[in-house]
Amino acid sequence: MKTYNFPSAGSWSDILKRPTQSKANLEKVVTEVFAEIQAKGDEALFAFTSKFDGCQLNTLQVSESEIADAINTLDPQLKAAIEKAANNIRTFHNNQMQTEAAVQIADGIQCWRKTTAIEKVGLYIPGGTAPLFSTVLMLAIPASIAGSKEITLCSPPNKEGKIHPAILFAAALCGVRKIFKLGGIQAIGAMTYGSESVPKAYKIFGPGNQYVTAAKQYASMEGVAIDMPAGPSEVLVFADASGDAAFVAADLLSQAEHGADSQVVLVSTEARMITEVQKEIDIQLQALPRKETAAKALANSILILVKSKEEAMDLINEYAPEHLILQSQDEAYFVQNIRNAGSVFIGNYTPESAGDYASGTNHTLPTNGYARAYSGVSVDSFVKKITFQKITEKGLKELGPTIEIMAEAEELMAHKNAVSIRLRSL
Amino acid sequence: MKTYNFPSAGSWSDILKRPTQSKANLEKVVTEVFAEIQAKGDEALFAFTSKFDGCQLNTLQVSESEIADAINTLDPQLKAAIEKAANNIRTFHNNQMQTEAAVQIADGIQCWRKTTAIEKVGLYIPGGTAPLFSTVLMLAIPASIAGSKEITLCSPPNKEGKIHPAILFAAALCGVRKIFKLGGIQAIGAMTYGSESVPKAYKIFGPGNQYVTAAKQYASMEGVAIDMPAGPSEVLVFADASGDAAFVAADLLSQAEHGADSQVVLVSTEARMITEVQKEIDIQLQALPRKETAAKALANSILILVKSKEEAMDLINEYAPEHLILQSQDEAYFVQNIRNAGSVFIGNYTPESAGDYASGTNHTLPTNGYARAYSGVSVDSFVKKITFQKITEKGLKELGPTIEIMAEAEELMAHKNAVSIRLRSL
C-alpha cells in the first residue's frame, strides 16, 4: 500500500493514474472468429464452443427442461435471496421510466419525444468458477422494464455443457427464456450477426475478460451498440474521524478481491484512520479465500491523507471513481458536491456490496474515469427517445421565413425550397 | 431512382441496404497527428493549422473583439432568425431536464439518482463554404441547459484565419466563449488531450468529414466519450393518397442536396404518388444550385410501392431512418407504431428543414440504422446520472443476510465480510 501525506493538487493526477490497459492484441483472433460466425452461423458456433470451452453441444439454446431443473434444484435460501434482490432492483429501476410532456413551441408547432425500447438486446454473463447471477438481474430487469421485446442471454457452458443453475434461475425470474450456451468472442459474434439459433442484437451488454472486451469493441465497429467501455473495477473510500476503520478495511478488501488489477483508494483527513485501516486490512486479509488476489491489488492501492474535506472532494471529482464510499460526518457536503462518480454509498452502514447485490441500484458502472462522461446501466440504457413534430399551416406560416433565412445562409437551397413550396401553396 | 413495386418483405434488407462505409485508411495520419498534439500541444496545433488549413495563426482562440465584430456585422435578419430558432430549441430542450424522486426500497434503505452535467464538453463545427451555425445551436444549447461548466468549440479557420461570423454569433448567443480556430483531426486531438490553449473535453460532439470521424473514433479509444457513430444523412418519406407530390419531392431533394452519399427513400401505397414525385423531382431539381450533388444522391434513391400501411410500417421499422416524414391520412397509426427512427415529421406542412433549423428539436440524429439503438442528441447527451444509496443500521439488518447469501454463492467472501463485520457490530 502506498501512502501519501498531503500531496499537492498538482501531483494528484500522477498519484491516481490508473494503470494503462494493456491492449491485448486480440484483433486478429476476433476478426477471424467473427468472420466465421458471419459466414457459417451455428456451425461455427458449435465448432468454437468445442475448441474454446472444450464441450460438444447438440443444441446451443438452453432447453425448458434445463431451466426447470435449475429452478427445482437451486438451494431455496439462495433462490429467496435472488428473489428479494430482484424485487429491490425492480423497484429502483421502475422509477426510471419517465414520460415527457409534449411542448407547444408556438401556435401550430408541437414537438415531443417518445421513449421507445431497444427491441433486441443481448446480455453477456461470464462463466468461470463463480456464477455471476447478480449481473443477470442487473441487466435483465432494466431490459424488461424498458420493454425490450427480444432479450438474448449468452453464458459459457462448463465442460459438461451446462450453465450454472443460479444463472438460469435468475434469467427465468426476469422472464428471459432465450439463453444460449456461448462464451467469449463467439457469444458476442453470435449476437452481433445472429445465426440460425441466436437472434441478432441491436445493443450488447455485460462484463467479461479481455476476449469479451475486444469482441464488444469489434461489434461496435460492426454497427452494434454496446453498454460502455470496460476497465478494472475500483473503489474510493473517504473516511474522516467518524468512519470505522474495520468497516473501511472490509470495503477496500471487497474491491481488492475482484482481481489483481482492481483499484483501491482511501482518502482521509485523519492520519490515525490511515494507520488503523492498514492494520485492519492486515488482520482481515488473512481470513479471505482470495487473499493472494487481494494482496496483489493492495500492493497498488493508494492511501492519501488530505488537509480538508474540500480538498478530498476536489481529488474525488478528479479521480471519478466507479464506487465512492463516504464515511463522514459531513456526508451532506459530499453528496451535494460530487460531480464525477458511478455510484455513491453513504454512511458507515452502507457497504458497496449492498449495491453490488441487493439494495436496488445497478452494479454495472463506469470504470477507469469514464464516470466523467458515462452513467451506469439503467432503464435509460435499454431505450432510445424518438423526437416527433407536427406543424400546421398556421405554424409553418409563422416559422417558415425563419427557416428560409437560415437555410439560405447555410447555402442549402433545397432545404429552403421545402418550406417555400409549402408557403406558396397557402 | 430505383423503383420497386410490392417487393417481398424478405427482399427489404437487400433493397434498403445502405452503402458500406468505405473505411478510409486514416488511422496512420490520425495516430501521428494525435501523438504530435499530445507531445507538443499548441506548437503542434499551429503547425497543423498551417499545413492543413493553409493559414498562419498567432493565437488559436477567437478574441473577444472578433466575437464583437461578428455580432456587429452579421445581417440583422439572419441574427433575428438565429435568435428565434435558438429560443425554440431552448424551449424544447428545457423540457428534457427532469428530476427523479428518491426511492424508499425498505425501511432504512433509500436509493436515488442525481443528474449531473458532464463538466467539460467539446463541440466541433465543420467549416467549408457554408457555415453550419445551426449545429452550434443544436449542440451548445443542450450543453448549457445541462450545465456543462466548460464548453469548448472548435471550427476551422479560412485562409484569412477567420471563422464565419454566423458561427461566432450563434456561439456567443449560447454563452460559448472558448472558441478555437481549429479544424479536422487537430481540433479533435486538441480537445482529446488539451493543450496550453485548448481545454481537454470529457465528451466530444459534432459532425464532420471522414477525417473528423476517424479522429473521433480514435479519441474514443483514448478515453473520451463521443456523441454517436457517424454516417451519411438520410430521409424516408411515407406518402399515401393524402400526400402532396410536390412537397414530397421537395423533402427528398432537401436530403439529396446534402451529398452524393445521402440516402433518399420514398415509400407509398399509391402508384400514382411515385410517378408524380418523380416528375416533380425532375422539375424542382433544375432550380437547385447543388443539382449535381442532388442528382448523384438521387441516382441511388429508392422508391417503393407497398400494399398497405402495415407493410409500410414494418419496412420503416426495419430500415430505422434518421428522418421519417409522414404525409398520411393515418398518421396516428404510424406515430403509434414507429419503433425505430431518429426524428419524425408529421403531416403535409412539417418539412424536415423545420427540425433541421428552427422548430426546436435537435438535428443531430442517428444515421445508418443506429436509430435502432441510439437517440439523437439532447440534454441527456450532456449529463450522466450518479446513483446514491444510504442504508441505516436497521436497513442493513434487514437486507444484510440477503447480501451475504448472494456474495457467498458468487464466491466473493470479502463482499460478504463487508456486511458481516457490520452486522456483528450491531
Side-chain angles (χ1 to χ4, degrees):
Chain A
M1 290 181 275
K2 298 172 208 156
T3 307
Y4 299 90
N5 292 329
F6 309 117
S8 68
S11 68
W12 292 347
S13 68
D14 274 342
I15 292 172
L16 294 167
K17 209 178 183 78
R18 291 153 169 110
T20 311
Q21 294 293 299
S22 60
K23 276 178 194 160
N25 197 6
L26 299 172
E27 200 179 310
K28 190 164 167 281
V29 59
V30 171
T31 307
E32 286 168 8
V33 171
F34 270 53
E36 279 281 293
I37 293 169
Q38 193 173 20
K40 297 185 186 164
D42 279 358
E43 184 191 332
L45 297 174
F46 283 116
F48 287 123
T49 302
S50 165
K51 183 176 171 188
F52 294 132
D53 299 297
C55 83
Q56 296 286 344
L57 299 174
N58 295 318
T59 49
L60 294 167
Q61 185 165 357
V62 175
S63 68
E64 284 297 320
S65 72
E66 284 176 293
I67 296 170
D69 279 355
I71 294 171
N72 291 331
T73 59
L74 194 68
D75 171 33
Q77 208 186 22
L78 180 55
K79 281 205 279 196
I82 294 174
E83 281 166 352
K84 180 161 182 161
N87 283 338
N88 289 351
I89 296 164
R90 204 171 284 120
T91 301
F92 184 64
H93 287 75
N94 266 330
N95 190 50
Q96 294 166 359
M97 281 297 276
Q98 297 197 325
T99 52
E100 209 170 85
V103 182
Q104 190 79 27
I105 299 290
D107 194 3
I109 306 175
Q110 196 170 45
C111 301
W112 67 97
R113 294 201 299 176
K114 186 172 156 188
T115 299
T116 314
I118 299 175
E119 285 183 271
K120 300 162 191 272
V121 297
L123 315 181
Y124 183 73
I125 306 297
T129 52
L132 293 184
F133 54 83
S134 62
T135 303
V136 177
L137 305 181
M138 296 296 176
L139 300 178
I141 290 173
S144 73
I145 290 172
S148 294
K149 273 196 208 164
E150 188 161 69
I151 305 174
T152 300
L153 189 150
C154 289
S155 193
N158 63 14
K159 293 270 187 290
E160 289 73 48
K162 297 281 182 194
I163 292 178
H164 194 286
I167 289 178
L168 299 183
F169 174 77
L173 185 64
C174 302
V176 177
R177 292 281 167 171
K178 290 191 178 173
I179 309 169
F180 297 91
K181 297 171 181 173
L182 284 168
I185 302 172
Q186 61 271 24
I188 308 302
M191 296 191 283
T192 298
Y193 300 120
S195 75
E196 296 88 335
S197 301
V198 184
K200 175 183 164 50
Y202 297 154
K203 190 169 183 178
I204 296 175
F205 296 77
N209 59 18
Q210 55 181 355
Y211 294 95
V212 172
T213 300
K216 280 173 68 184
Q217 209 159 53
Y218 194 91
S220 74
M221 302 292 183
E222 292 288 283
V224 177
I226 61 171
D227 47 359
M228 68 182 83
S233 191
E234 59 198 27
V235 71
L236 187 151
V237 179
F238 173 79
D240 59 23
S242 73
D244 181 304
F247 299 176
V248 171
D251 290 340
L252 295 174
L253 283 166
S254 78
Q255 191 59 50
E257 77 172 338
H258 270 302
D261 58 357
S262 284
Q263 302 296 299
V264 173
V265 183
L266 170 65
V267 177
S268 183
T269 42
E270 299 289 322
R272 184 190 56 79
M273 177 61 69
I274 288 178
T275 321
E276 286 181 14
V277 167
Q278 283 177 297
K279 279 186 209 153
E280 275 291 335
I281 284 177
D282 289 341
I283 298 166
Q284 293 181 29
L285 181 63
Q286 299 314 315
L288 292 180
R290 297 195 186 209
K291 67 181 161 194
E292 281 178 33
T293 300
K296 280 184 200 157
L298 288 169
N300 298 314
S301 68
I302 303 159
L303 312 175
I304 306 174
L305 181 64
V306 295
K307 292 196 192 99
S308 63
K309 67 174 188 237
E310 290 78 11
E311 202 175 64
M313 188 76 268
D314 288 346
L315 184 150
I316 292 166
N317 278 324
E318 180 167 327
Y319 182 65
E322 179 192 11
H323 303 99
L324 169 63
I325 298 177
L326 298 171
Q327 295 199 13
S328 169
Q329 59 216 2
D330 289 317
E331 60 186 39
Y333 167 78
F334 289 96
V335 170
Q336 182 67 31
N337 291 289
I338 180 72
R339 293 190 308 273
N340 298 320
S343 197
V344 183
F345 300 80
I346 306 164
N348 292 10
Y349 289 89
T350 313
E352 186 203 306
S353 41
D356 288 341
Y357 288 110
S359 61
T361 59
N362 209 289
H363 76 197
T364 309
L365 295 164
T367 55
N368 208 27
Y370 284 111
R372 297 181 194 109
Y374 287 84
S375 312
V377 163
S378 71
V379 173
D380 305 347
S381 315
F382 293 90
V383 301
K384 59 249 167 33
K385 294 177 184 174
I386 305 175
T387 47
F388 291 83
Q389 62 201 283
K390 179 160 184 172
I391 304 179
T392 63
E393 287 92 328
K394 185 173 180 196
L396 194 65
K397 265 190 197 162
E398 202 275 325
L399 190 63
T402 298
I403 304 167
E404 290 179 307
I405 291 164
M406 292 176 77
E408 184 162 351
E410 287 195 354
E411 297 176 19
L412 293 170
M413 297 309 284
H415 283 62
K416 180 185 180 187
N417 188 53
V419 171
S420 308
I421 198 170
R422 285 170 165 93
L423 291 182
R424 281 199 301 270
S425 80
L426 292 173
Chain B
M1 291 182 276
K2 296 172 208 155
T3 308
Y4 299 90
N5 292 329
F6 310 117
S8 68
S11 68
W12 292 348
S13 68
D14 274 342
I15 292 173
L16 294 167
K17 209 178 185 76
R18 289 150 169 112
T20 312
Q21 295 292 299
S22 60
K23 278 179 193 159
N25 197 6
L26 299 172
E27 201 179 309
K28 190 163 166 284
V29 59
V30 171
T31 308
E32 286 169 8
V33 171
F34 270 54
E36 279 281 294
I37 293 168
Q38 193 173 19
K40 299 186 186 163
D42 279 359
E43 184 192 331
L45 297 174
F46 283 116
F48 287 124
T49 302
S50 165
K51 183 176 169 187
F52 294 132
D53 299 297
C55 82
Q56 296 286 344
L57 299 175
N58 295 318
T59 50
L60 293 168
Q61 187 166 358
V62 174
S63 68
E64 285 296 322
S65 73
E66 283 176 293
I67 296 170
D69 280 355
I71 293 171
N72 291 331
T73 58
L74 194 67
D75 171 34
Q77 208 186 22
L78 180 56
K79 282 205 279 196
I82 293 174
E83 281 167 350
K84 180 163 184 160
N87 283 338
N88 289 350
I89 296 164
R90 203 171 284 120
T91 300
F92 185 64
H93 287 74
N94 266 330
N95 190 50
Q96 294 165 0
M97 282 297 276
Q98 297 199 325
T99 52
E100 209 169 86
V103 182
Q104 190 78 29
I105 298 290
D107 193 4
I109 307 175
Q110 195 169 46
C111 301
W112 67 97
R113 296 201 297 176
K114 186 172 156 187
T115 299
T116 314
I118 300 175
E119 284 183 272
K120 300 163 190 272
V121 297
L123 316 182
Y124 183 74
I125 305 297
T129 51
L132 293 185
F133 56 83
S134 62
T135 303
V136 177
L137 305 180
M138 295 297 175
L139 300 178
I141 289 173
S144 74
I145 291 172
S148 294
K149 272 195 206 165
E150 187 161 69
I151 305 174
T152 300
L153 189 150
C154 289
S155 192
N158 63 14
K159 293 269 185 292
E160 289 74 46
K162 297 281 181 194
I163 293 178
H164 193 285
I167 289 179
L168 299 183
F169 174 77
L173 184 66
C174 302
V176 177
R177 292 283 167 170
K178 290 192 176 173
I179 308 170
F180 297 91
K181 297 171 182 173
L182 283 168
I185 301 172
Q186 61 270 25
I188 307 301
M191 296 190 282
T192 298
Y193 300 119
S195 75
E196 296 88 334
S197 301
V198 184
K200 175 183 163 52
Y202 297 154
K203 189 169 183 178
I204 296 175
F205 296 78
N209 59 18
Q210 56 181 354
Y211 293 95
V212 173
T213 299
K216 281 173 68 184
Q217 209 158 54
Y218 193 91
S220 74
M221 302 292 183
E222 292 289 283
V224 177
I226 61 170
D227 48 358
M228 67 182 84
S233 190
E234 57 199 28
V235 71
L236 187 152
V237 179
F238 173 79
D240 59 22
S242 73
D244 181 304
F247 298 175
V248 171
D251 289 340
L252 294 175
L253 283 166
S254 76
Q255 191 58 50
E257 77 172 338
H258 269 302
D261 58 358
S262 284
Q263 303 296 301
V264 173
V265 182
L266 170 64
V267 177
S268 182
T269 43
E270 299 288 321
R272 184 190 56 78
M273 178 61 68
I274 289 179
T275 320
E276 285 180 14
V277 168
Q278 284 177 296
K279 277 186 208 154
E280 275 291 335
I281 285 177
D282 289 341
I283 297 166
Q284 294 180 30
L285 180 63
Q286 298 317 313
L288 293 180
R290 296 197 186 207
K291 66 182 162 194
E292 279 177 35
T293 299
K296 279 184 199 157
L298 288 169
N300 297 313
S301 69
I302 303 159
L303 313 177
I304 305 175
L305 182 64
V306 294
K307 291 197 192 97
S308 64
K309 66 175 189 241
E310 290 79 11
E311 200 174 65
M313 188 76 267
D314 288 346
L315 183 151
I316 292 166
N317 278 323
E318 180 167 329
Y319 183 64
E322 180 192 11
H323 304 98
L324 170 63
I325 298 176
L326 297 171
Q327 296 199 12
S328 168
Q329 60 216 1
D330 289 316
E331 61 188 38
Y333 167 79
F334 288 96
V335 170
Q336 181 67 31
N337 291 289
I338 181 73
R339 293 190 307 273
N340 299 319
S343 197
V344 183
F345 301 79
I346 305 165
N348 292 10
Y349 289 88
T350 313
E352 187 203 306
S353 41
D356 288 340
Y357 288 109
S359 61
T361 59
N362 209 289
H363 77 198
T364 310
L365 295 165
T367 55
N368 209 26
Y370 284 111
R372 297 181 195 110
Y374 287 85
S375 312
V377 163
S378 72
V379 173
D380 305 346
S381 315
F382 293 90
V383 301
K384 59 248 167 32
K385 294 177 184 173
I386 304 175
T387 49
F388 291 83
Q389 61 203 284
K390 179 161 184 171
I391 303 179
T392 63
E393 288 90 328
K394 186 174 179 193
L396 194 66
K397 266 190 197 163
E398 203 273 327
L399 189 63
T402 299
I403 303 167
E404 291 179 307
I405 292 164
M406 292 176 78
E408 184 162 351
E410 287 195 356
E411 297 176 19
L412 293 169
M413 298 308 284
H415 282 63
K416 181 185 178 187
N417 188 54
V419 172
S420 309
I421 198 169
R422 286 170 164 93
L423 291 183
R424 280 198 302 269
S425 79
L426 292 174

